[in-house]
Amino acid sequence: MKKVFIETYGCQMNVYDTDIVKSVLGSNGYELTESTDDADIVLLNTCSVRENANRKVHNRIHNIRHQNKKRDDLKIGILGCMATNFRKQLLKDPKLPIDFIAGPDSYKRLPQLIEEVNGSVDTENNFDVTLSEFETYSDIYPSQTGGINAWIAVMRGCDNFCTFCVVPYTRGRERSRSPQNVVDEAKRLADKGYRQITLLGQNVNSYNHEGATFAELLDKVSEVSGIERIRFTSPHPKDFPRPLLKLISDNPKVCKQIHLPLQAGNTRVLEMMNRTYSKQEYLDLVDEIRELYPNMALSTDIIVGFPTESDAEFEETVEVMEKVEYDSAFIFKYSERPQTIAKRKFPDDVPEPVKTERIVRLNKIQKQHSYQKNLAHVGEVQEILLEQDTTKRSDQECQGRNDANKIVILPKGDYHKGQFVMAEITDASPHTLRGKVVEVLQK
Ligand code: SF4
């Protein structure tokens, strides 16, 4: 049996895809190995969202080749978004010793591609980066093993073409799996002991299968017995119709936590990003969410230093953060990406030191907000889903998450991962809560 080593970079969709790849190769007689030393094939499932993601992969390829310089038969394959984004360069670059590439829609062809590679000397044609309008891998169950939270990709691709983003070029057009297919996977995962499901998509709330909406899908998945919590990521602010907000607020199994990528606070910059909403429309959506469910936890994504973003326009991002007070935020410097509209149309003219100044400022603001939000939980009794029976720091502590997806550290006791407990929150830091268990729930 040929041994395969797989390494995954980037987003949760890539982690999910790696489980798809493991399933495809596993059912074609390949064996997984945890080390490159005894692997016949090394697969790197790559990310292309920022320049440093690419650099990491280049260095890793050279390091693997160096570690295995006596092994000419070792085959290296590139999967994921670098495959579709850099196909030509990857295979033609003599300094990059790889053997084949496969894009995110070509994983069913991997066994065949690997066979072809073993027989061929000319690597330049060893690729399949076809972007499919139909492929959702709905007939492949990812090999997710052992855990409390399971991911289900309910749709693939993205049609939004935000000008800074490569995803529409690396993952193609939007397509959704049928609700029944998603529910069947949720049932299978519940049988395997998973208690929480996170529905996944590049633009999850534009899910649409023959008219079935994301709200309908959420509702159906919430009927699966054994699954007690449902989360979803990543949504787009433009796709939050009221019925979806009502369902999130009213359905006890749907967690009261929404990731709401803002990207920038100024409307002119949002237009350049092709985000399709204005600052005011975004703030109105936040108000609508909080009118329906005042304690909804909100997190976001922000890019600082998008081309031509002025100091005054950046101040509007600060203003939105101060108004919304997110529970957490992922903040990035603008990184020019090949193929994107922004690269073609807008000069990357915000100086690096200015980008650094802005990201440092926003991270400081966010740390304060996260800390204030967490301090407000002290004294509350919250429902926690235990995820680990020990923590990185101590085997006398265990760890779980509350409904807002915040980490809660608890003293070890007569309860274990997979169980729900009620805990009184006793302490807080910007990133973590601490508590003591007051009741073990029988659900
Ligand atoms: S919504 Fe925009 S940022 Fe998100 S994946 Fe699609 S194009 Fe990229």
Side-chain angles (χ1 to χ4, degrees):
M1 282 180 105
K2 288 233 181 265
K3 289 190 174 172
V4 178
F5 170 87
I6 307 182
E7 197 162 90
T8 307
Y9 298 79
C11 68
Q12 197 53 48
M13 187 59 94
N14 254 10
V15 175
Y16 186 86
D17 283 357
T18 289
D19 286 330
I20 295 262
V21 168
K22 287 178 180 173
S23 206
V24 169
L25 293 177
S27 56
N28 281 275
Y30 289 84
E31 188 187 330
L32 294 172
T33 173
E34 294 303 314
S35 148
T36 59
D37 299 345
D38 66 347
D40 301 294
I41 297 128
V42 168
L43 299 176
L44 303 179
N45 189 1
T46 64
C47 167
S48 195
V49 80
R50 271 173 290 280
E51 187 48 34
N52 61 1
N54 294 0
R55 262 197 303 278
K56 258 195 232 159
V57 169
H58 283 224
N59 298 343
R60 182 67 172 128
I61 292 167
H62 289 294
N63 146 293
I64 291 168
R65 280 294 182 211
H66 180 69
Q67 279 169 6
N68 298 278
K69 53 181 172 290
K70 294 199 183 67
R71 300 184 44 216
D72 299 346
D73 60 342
L74 174 66
K75 301 294 182 201
I76 297 184
I78 300 296
L79 312 182
C81 291
M82 274 181 77
T84 21
N85 205 5
F86 295 102
R87 174 181 72 76
K88 292 204 181 70
Q89 298 94 316
L90 284 171
L91 284 171
K92 285 205 176 75
D93 182 345
K95 293 196 297 308
L96 211 54
I98 62 167
D99 300 284
F100 64 96
I101 62 175
D105 293 342
S106 311
Y107 296 150
K108 285 180 184 168
R109 278 209 61 229
L110 267 174
Q112 187 190 340
L113 203 56
I114 293 169
E115 282 317 306
E116 286 163 9
V117 165
N118 285 329
S120 78
V121 283
D122 138 28
T123 58
E124 280 203 24
N125 295 317
N126 295 343
F127 65 87
D128 186 333
V129 290
T130 320
L131 288 177
S132 161
E133 287 177 46
F134 311 103
E135 184 60 83
T136 60
Y137 299 112
S138 56
D139 54 344
I140 308 263
Y141 281 136
S143 64
Q144 293 184 57
T145 48
I148 302 303
N149 172 58
W151 303 84
I152 303 182
V154 299
M155 54 91 68
R156 300 179 71 87
C158 184
D159 295 348
N160 286 330
F161 290 93
C162 302
T163 57
F164 53 81
C165 184
V166 289
V167 170
Y169 307 95
T170 59
R171 287 183 169 273
R173 299 291 62 72
E174 288 177 12
R175 61 229 109 120
S176 301
R177 295 167 63 180
S178 72
Q180 191 52 51
N181 185 250
V182 174
V183 166
D184 292 347
E185 184 167 349
K187 285 183 179 157
R188 218 174 59 83
L189 292 162
D191 296 345
K192 287 175 97 175
Y194 287 95
R195 309 307 310 280
Q196 174 178 290
I197 296 275
T198 302
L199 303 182
L200 192 58
Q202 310 294 158
N203 186 15
V204 72
N205 53 348
S206 75
Y207 170 93
N208 185 316
H209 186 271
E210 294 166 3
T213 66
F214 186 59
E216 288 160 19
L217 178 69
L218 264 180
D219 199 29
K220 282 194 168 46
V221 173
S222 73
E223 287 156 12
V224 174
S225 67
I227 298 299
E228 298 300 335
R229 277 189 177 173
I230 302 166
R231 301 184 190 278
F232 59 89
T233 195
S234 190
H236 191 292
K238 76 174 178 36
D239 293 320
F240 271 110
R242 188 135 179 122
L244 175 57
L245 293 177
K246 277 289 284 115
L247 183 121
I248 295 169
S249 308
D250 301 348
N251 186 314
K253 284 193 178 179
V254 178
C255 294
K256 307 304 176 258
Q257 165 251 325
I258 295 179
H259 184 62
L260 205 61
L262 168 73
Q263 303 298 6
N266 167 267
T267 298
R268 184 190 73 85
V269 174
L270 287 169
E271 276 159 14
M272 286 180 72
M273 288 177 162
N274 189 31
R275 290 293 289 173
T276 70
Y277 52 82
S278 66
K279 175 170 86 172
Q280 195 49 52
E281 285 163 337
Y282 182 92
L283 290 170
D284 293 347
L285 174 59
V286 171
D287 290 348
E288 187 181 0
I289 291 170
R290 288 192 167 147
E291 171 228 316
L292 279 167
Y293 200 91
N295 291 333
M296 186 73 74
L298 293 178
S299 57
T300 195
D301 297 333
I302 292 174
I303 293 173
V304 299
F306 188 78
T308 74
E309 182 187 58
S310 68
D311 290 349
E313 290 165 340
F314 169 69
E315 287 307 324
E316 292 188 67
T317 302
V318 174
E319 180 204 330
V320 171
M321 284 186 82
E322 298 290 7
K323 276 205 177 113
V324 176
E325 291 189 355
Y326 295 102
D327 293 76
S328 63
F330 303 92
I331 305 166
F332 305 99
K333 293 179 185 176
Y334 173 69
S335 171
E336 201 174 56
R337 306 308 301 134
Q339 288 205 56
T340 58
I341 298 164
K343 172 154 174 76
R344 291 200 298 275
K345 291 172 87 176
F346 314 128
D348 184 5
D349 60 359
V350 176
E352 192 61 25
V354 174
K355 288 181 183 175
T356 304
E357 202 185 292
R358 290 177 182 175
I359 200 167
V360 169
R361 175 132 173 252
L362 294 192
N363 278 323
K364 196 155 165 264
I365 293 169
Q366 185 52 51
K367 194 171 178 185
Q368 279 159 5
H369 288 164
S370 299
Y371 189 37
Q372 293 313 321
K373 291 259 171 183
N374 284 356
L375 272 180
H377 292 311
V378 174
E380 289 178 359
V381 174
Q382 298 186 340
E383 183 191 279
I384 313 296
L385 171 55
L386 297 175
E387 293 184 341
Q388 295 169 214
D389 289 332
T390 59
T391 66
K392 277 205 201 88
R393 289 214 188 120
S394 159
D395 58 9
Q396 292 314 306
E397 293 176 330
C398 61
Q399 175 174 319
R401 288 177 187 265
N402 64 10
D403 187 78
N405 211 20
K406 294 181 180 176
I407 292 175
V408 182
I409 308 290
L410 300 163
K412 211 164 171 105
D414 190 14
Y415 33 79
H416 54 80
K417 71 176 188 179
Q419 281 190 291
F420 283 87
V421 297
M422 295 307 288
E424 180 190 338
I425 303 301
T426 55
D427 196 7
S429 74
H431 305 298
T432 312
L433 299 170
R434 282 183 173 277
K436 60 179 188 217
V437 174
V438 293
E439 183 191 353
V440 177
L441 299 177
Q442 300 312 319
K443 72 169 182 180

